[in-house]
Amino acid sequence: MENMLTIRVIADVWERHLMTMRTIEHLHMFSIALMLSIMIGVSVGVFIYMRPKTADPVLNFLNIVETIPDLALIVLLLPILKLGAGPTIAACVLYSILPVARNTYTGLKGVDEQYTYVAHAIGLSPREALFKVRIPMSLPLIAGGIRIALVFCMGVVTLGGLVAAGGLGTVLQNGIQLYQKDAILVAGIWTGLLAVILDGFAGIIEKKLHERYGTW
């Protein structure tokens, strides 16, 4: 009977707070933020690898950005990007560039020179060696950075409810404001479960890349 009541409560909260729509909004913002983080982070990592003198200043700047509290960063972005998904996605990207860029740079720098020596011996240019040897060999470490970025994005997107971005953060905010314990519990558990599922998929991909490319 208690189990039926629990299921009934969950179904009621799910329908009343439009949880299906909120989940789609949440994953939409998360996907955009993660894709942008990967593209920018990998590009930054490759850039600082090719120009080593820029590595410390760039990584130090990204470290400073990382120290800004996530809610404060979203608020700072409000005057520029207004209410909605904009400041939430931008904050996610700013937080998530560092782990991807740092792991890309470390991965490229740590590839065993014997592989690049062979690449040059068979006539590959430095650029070809970068894209055909170094980047593939760095994929396990890059995947580790992306996995960290995934967790960052999921956490920051949840705060989007505070700035009218939608998503599951809206359900949590409404639950807190109206003191609806059931809404807080259901939305909180579902958000955590989504994060665990996505992290699990990322872990599987990372493991496959380690098996494919090994460690250097």
Side-chain angles (χ1 to χ4, degrees), residues 168-188:
L168 295 169
T170 300
V171 182
L172 285 167
Q173 184 192 10
N174 291 339
I176 292 168
Q177 288 179 340
L178 302 174
Y179 197 60
Q180 296 177 346
K181 295 180 182 178
D182 294 336
I184 296 170
L185 281 172
V186 172

Side-chain angles (χ1 to χ4, degrees), residues 80-98:
I80 305 169
L81 300 173
K82 311 302 181 186
L83 289 171
T88 304
I89 292 172
C92 286
V93 173
L94 288 172
Y95 269 118
S96 303
I97 291 173
L98 176 61

Side-chain angles (χ1 to χ4, degrees), residues 62-169:
L62 293 174
N63 272 313
I64 291 169
V65 173
E66 199 86 7
T67 62
I68 303 172
D70 42 16
L71 187 55
L73 184 57
I74 291 175
V75 171
L76 286 172
L77 293 168
L78 278 177
I80 305 169
L81 300 173
K82 311 302 181 186
L83 289 171
T88 304
I89 292 172
C92 286
V93 173
L94 288 172
Y95 269 118
S96 303
I97 291 173
L98 176 61
V100 180
R102 183 175 54 204
N103 279 33
T104 301
Y105 172 66
T106 305
L108 292 172
K109 195 176 177 183
V111 171
D112 196 319
E113 289 301 324
Q114 67 176 338
Y115 297 111
T116 54
Y117 177 79
V118 171
H120 294 147
I122 63 174
L124 294 183
S125 67
R127 188 180 184 85
E128 289 174 327
L130 173 66
F131 286 98
K132 294 182 179 181
V133 178
R134 285 192 180 274
I135 289 179
M137 294 297 295
S138 303
L139 284 177
L141 200 56
I142 294 172
I146 293 172
R147 192 174 177 184
I148 297 169
L150 182 152
V151 176
F152 283 173
C153 284
M154 184 58 75
V156 177
V157 164
T158 306
L159 293 174
L162 297 171
V163 291
L168 295 169

